[in-house]
Amino acid sequence: MKPLETLRYHEDGDLATVTLLRPQINMKMVRELTAVCDHLEDESACKVVLFRGSGGQFCHGIDLEEFRPDQGVDIHGFNKWEKVCVRIERLPKITIAEMRGEVIGGGVQLALVCDARLASPEVTLQLNEVRLGFLPGMATFRLAKYVGLGRAKRMIMQCPTISAEHACEMGLIDEVSEQIAAALDQTIARFQPIHPVVIQLARRLLNESFATDFEDAIGNFLAAQHRAVTQTAFLKTIKQHHKA
Amino acid sequence: MGEDWAINASMVAQRARILSVGTANPPDYYTQQDILDRFRVQNPVVRKIFTASHIHGRYLYLPPETEDGVPRESQSALLKKHRRGALALGRQAIARCLEPEGLEPSDIDFLCCVSSTGFMLPAMTAMYIRHLGFRLDTQRTDVVGMGCHAGLNGMNPVVAWAMANPGKNALMVCCEVNSALYVYDDSIGTGVVNSLFGDGCAAVLIRSAESDEPRFSPRVLGFQSHIIPETWQAMSYHWSDEHGKFYFNLDRDVPYVLGTHAEDPVRALLGRFGLKPRHVQHWIIHSGGKKVIDAIKYTVGITSHDVRHTTAVLRDYGNLGSGSFLFSYQRLLAEGRIQRGDYGLMMTMGPGSTIETALLRW
């Protein structure tokens, strides 16, 4: 992996930690997140990826400095961001977002593509894009699956600032804790043992669940289940069952 | 990944290109319901298979309607139907493939025909030379009896021939008259087969240039094969003494078995070029059936969008056998979204059990 400027990447055993070194997302960060995904898919043997921020923050969303009033806005950059979000969403690893401070816009979007979301008690969440005159990316697609359409409309169209506690009640955050390091350890432990193929299949079916009709979904499920049960993890389970 | 190819640009330049594609189907189109009505299918399970098979309708050469709905075609009538259908479909598909290039059959130097739906001797290539205006010195090969994946088994030697003969025109014709291969009874096994296959023909023109002419068509970078011998009889032809006909048998679980193994040739082929599935922009996959398409999605890790042409071709034509993937290829081209430098992966599946793949680059 080339040296990173906007991120720090650290791998320790099964855990890879991706630290956002600036609260705003710029194109450089998008490119570097893509490079990190390449590394995670092609080279890393880690099983869990933690996304976190620095300086007591997680992520404040898009960097408006990237845009100039005298220049047209290129949709291509938004597409690159969505592509890296999908890459993160489909990584063959467990992904966890560790949120601190004010989590705004793209920060919420990043948390939505992870498998689990942890927050310290002071965290607030806000999707402020509509207020600023643009759209909160594919949170328009993902958010309602977490919180229901009514709450998603409120969050996206009225742009309220929501407390961690409230977000946790809505199912947007999995756990709020003062001891976030301990909460992280417990979360990772709950995912064990990690079968990467089965994790990917389960997550994909869930992600597709609101956007697929039942006839297609059952076909998809059977295909995925066939793949799952021909994996060594399930064969091992059967062997152990018979030994016992 | 891309960098490796920049280094090997001279090697890439020598690879043959797919210059044109043309397709044809019989004139008559039948919805699944039309077929149920015409043959007065009563078995509720078979009726359900027809209406839930993710196929809207198919182009078929159906026999005349009978009073009791039961079709009566002898094996010799079916062989004749295959030959006549192959000539009519081949004539159209070849013309549609060559016309945009300003070529005639007499400009073709190598002809390869692929078919599994009726045994011919003399072969289909000989019939096309006799009737369609190919030169008498046209070199030729017939790939027969290999099944749905055979389009890529044909394309492999055609590409090799084109590379060994720069500037010469090679034409591959995949022609299947599936309506010439069936047994009609009330069983679920024949119901599955009779609900699935359609008639169609696809022709592709392949050539490697003497000089590197700048044009927007894909080069065929390589092929990768994979066979699963444990299930070698899972899709097979048999002779029915009772009906006096050949029939096709399709095992229930083979779509998932093919899907589970699909990852192996894909990774091996892409690996040879330093690529991963995520680097492939275009997936050109045989429309074998709903289950096998689902299985490939979840093993190779590609989306419903990636297989949109595969599912659309299945919906509109059924499984067209060896030429199916070229119908998807044609739809991909028609979309007009391919960029220079894009990669495409062709995949066909069939008896053996077999998965064939080819890598394209525009």
Side-chain angles (χ1 to χ4, degrees):
Chain A
M1 202 167 22
K2 284 181 191 162
L4 302 169
E5 282 179 32
T6 65
L7 308 171
R8 186 167 57 236
Y9 180 83
H10 177 70
E11 218 173 289
D12 182 13
D14 280 352
L15 179 66
T17 304
V18 181
T19 308
L20 315 183
L21 296 177
R22 64 201 312 279
Q24 278 85 24
I25 302 163
N26 59 10
M27 282 315 296
K28 180 155 220 147
M29 184 182 278
V30 173
R31 281 194 296 274
E32 292 188 347
L33 280 169
T34 307
V36 165
C37 286
D38 286 348
H39 174 79
L40 284 166
E41 281 181 34
D42 299 344
E43 285 159 59
S44 171
C46 81
K47 292 186 169 171
V48 180
V49 186
L50 175 68
F51 289 91
R52 57 181 304 187
S54 50
Q57 298 296 318
F58 178 62
C59 177
H60 294 173
I62 199 165
D63 190 349
L64 292 175
E65 278 297 306
E66 294 267 288
F67 302 93
R68 292 270 173 271
D70 51 347
Q71 286 173 6
V73 178
D74 184 4
I75 192 72
H76 190 65
F78 291 100
N79 192 20
K80 289 254 181 203
W81 164 248
E82 294 304 335
K83 278 190 170 156
V84 81
C85 284
V86 169
R87 290 283 300 279
I88 294 167
E89 193 171 39
R90 296 179 188 170
L91 280 174
K93 324 277 183 190
I94 293 293
T95 51
I96 302 173
E98 180 194 304
M99 295 186 270
R100 292 174 195 265
E102 298 170 67
V103 182
I104 304 170
V108 178
Q109 294 180 40
L110 178 60
L112 287 179
V113 297
C114 290
D115 296 320
R117 284 147 297 281
L118 307 178
S120 50
E122 85 287 355
V123 160
T124 59
L125 272 69
Q126 186 194 22
L127 285 166
N128 66 345
E129 287 92 338
V130 164
R131 185 171 290 174
L132 299 176
F134 67 118
L135 298 169
M138 288 298 277
T140 50
F141 181 81
R142 295 187 178 98
L143 182 63
K145 296 181 184 183
Y146 285 92
V147 301
L149 185 59
R151 286 165 170 154
K153 276 187 175 169
R154 191 166 74 85
M155 277 192 75
I156 288 176
M157 297 168 76
Q158 300 177 29
C159 310
T161 298
I162 287 171
S163 70
E165 199 187 347
H166 186 197
C168 195
E169 283 165 12
M170 288 199 295
L172 199 47
I173 289 175
D174 296 277
E175 191 174 345
V176 182
S177 174
E178 303 248 11
Q179 274 79 43
I180 206 150
L184 175 66
D185 287 344
Q186 287 161 10
T187 302
I188 293 172
R190 283 194 293 267
F191 276 109
Q192 305 299 327
I194 295 169
H195 307 303
V197 169
V198 184
I199 285 282
Q200 277 177 281
L201 291 170
R203 176 210 278 150
R204 179 170 170 183
L205 292 173
L206 286 165
N207 284 338
E208 290 171 350
S209 62
F210 288 67
T212 312
D213 68 39
F214 186 80
E215 285 305 314
D216 285 336
I218 188 100
N220 292 343
F221 156 72
L222 288 170
Q225 183 73 305
H226 185 271
R227 176 149 162 78
V229 298
T230 50
Q231 290 287 305
T232 46
F234 185 68
L235 299 178
K236 212 167 127 190
T237 302
I238 299 175
K239 267 187 201 155
Q240 277 171 354
H241 173 80
H242 282 282
K243 227 182 256 172
Chain B
M1 8 92 245
E3 290 80 355
D4 297 346
W5 274 102
I7 296 162
N8 294 322
S10 65
M11 201 247 274
V12 174
Q14 290 166 12
R15 300 297 308 190
R17 294 173 192 259
I18 305 174
L19 295 174
S20 180
V21 58
T23 61
N25 300 93
D28 296 323
Y29 190 77
Y30 302 91
T31 67
Q32 297 290 72
Q33 190 61 47
D34 290 340
I35 296 165
L36 288 174
D37 295 344
R38 189 182 178 98
F39 297 122
R40 295 179 211 166
V41 177
Q42 299 302 326
N43 185 328
V45 180
V46 174
R47 291 184 70 88
K48 195 156 177 268
I49 292 166
F50 265 75
T51 48
S53 63
H54 304 275
I55 294 168
H56 177 259
R58 295 169 286 158
Y59 290 97
L60 293 163
Y61 289 114
L62 290 186
E65 280 188 84
T66 58
E67 266 186 30
D68 59 358
V70 178
R72 290 187 181 80
E73 288 178 290
S74 66
Q75 183 62 45
S76 69
L78 291 174
L79 286 171
K80 244 179 243 160
K81 176 155 89 172
H82 173 260
R83 203 167 58 236
R84 284 189 192 141
L87 183 58
L89 296 177
R91 188 193 300 275
Q92 280 181 24
I94 291 166
R96 287 169 185 166
C97 173
L98 296 184
E99 195 195 3
E101 294 293 309
L103 298 176
E104 301 279 339
S106 58
D107 298 313
I108 298 303
D109 304 288
F110 180 73
L111 175 63
C112 173
C113 287
V114 178
S115 185
S116 299
T117 45
F119 184 68
M120 285 180 67
L121 193 157
M124 203 179 279
T125 49
M127 178 173 75
Y128 286 167
I129 288 173
R130 164 73 179 82
H131 290 288
L132 301 184
F134 289 92
R135 292 198 317 270
L136 304 187
D137 65 349
T138 310
Q139 297 181 34
R140 62 197 181 96
T141 292
D142 285 79
V143 175
V144 296
M146 288 189 82
C148 291
H149 58 276
L152 285 175
N153 299 85
M155 195 190 283
N156 192 337
V158 170
V159 164
W161 189 93
M163 285 167 61
N165 297 275
K168 300 287 186 191
N169 293 315
L171 184 73
M172 177 175 76
V173 184
C174 298
C175 189
E176 306 292 359
V177 182
N178 280 297
S179 58
L181 188 104
Y182 73 94
V183 158
Y184 179 86
D185 58 26
D186 210 24
S187 74
I188 293 164
T190 60
V192 168
V193 171
N194 293 343
S195 71
L196 180 60
F197 293 98
D199 298 344
C201 178
V204 280
L205 177 70
I206 292 175
R207 188 170 68 214
S208 68
E210 283 173 311
S211 60
D212 188 26
E213 45 179 331
R215 55 183 297 163
F216 194 63
S217 56
R219 290 189 168 86
V220 186
L221 300 187
F223 295 87
Q224 185 83 29
S225 301
H226 187 89
I227 190 158
I228 312 151
E230 308 92 84
T231 57
W232 86 289
Q233 286 276 36
M235 290 163 277
S236 45
Y237 277 3
H238 300 273
W239 176 262
S240 164
D241 282 332
E242 186 195 339
H243 294 93
K245 289 179 190 178
F246 280 106
Y247 69 98
F248 183 63
N249 174 64
L250 187 59
D251 275 10
R252 194 188 63 176
D253 292 339
V254 73
Y256 291 141
V257 174
L258 283 167
T260 302
H261 286 81
E263 199 181 0
D264 300 346
V266 168
R267 291 205 179 268
L269 175 61
L270 293 176
R272 278 160 48 198
F273 298 90
L275 300 171
K276 304 271 175 184
R278 67 171 184 271
H279 300 124
V280 175
Q281 288 84 3
H282 311 292
W283 296 84
I284 303 140
I285 299 176
H286 167 55
S287 303
K290 172 78 166 68
K291 279 187 191 173
V292 73
I293 300 168
D294 286 342
I296 287 168
K297 269 170 24 190
Y298 286 85
T299 46
V300 181
I302 55 178
T303 64
S304 299
H305 179 74
D306 291 326
V307 298
R308 64 195 178 282
H309 300 305
T310 301
T311 45
V313 165
L314 182 69
R315 182 193 64 215
D316 296 343
Y317 298 95
N319 177 340
L320 295 172
S322 61
S324 272
F325 74 115
L326 296 173
F327 280 72
S328 286
Y329 174 71
Q330 191 179 40
R331 289 190 173 202
L332 173 69
L333 298 185
E335 256 183 354
R337 287 173 50 176
I338 302 165
Q339 307 278 316
R340 198 169 285 277
D342 280 1
Y343 288 98
L345 194 137
M346 290 178 153
M347 180 194 286
T348 58
M349 308 77 76
S353 300
T354 306
I355 302 157
E356 296 290 344
T357 56
L359 182 64
L360 311 182
R361 192 177 195 193
W362 273 269

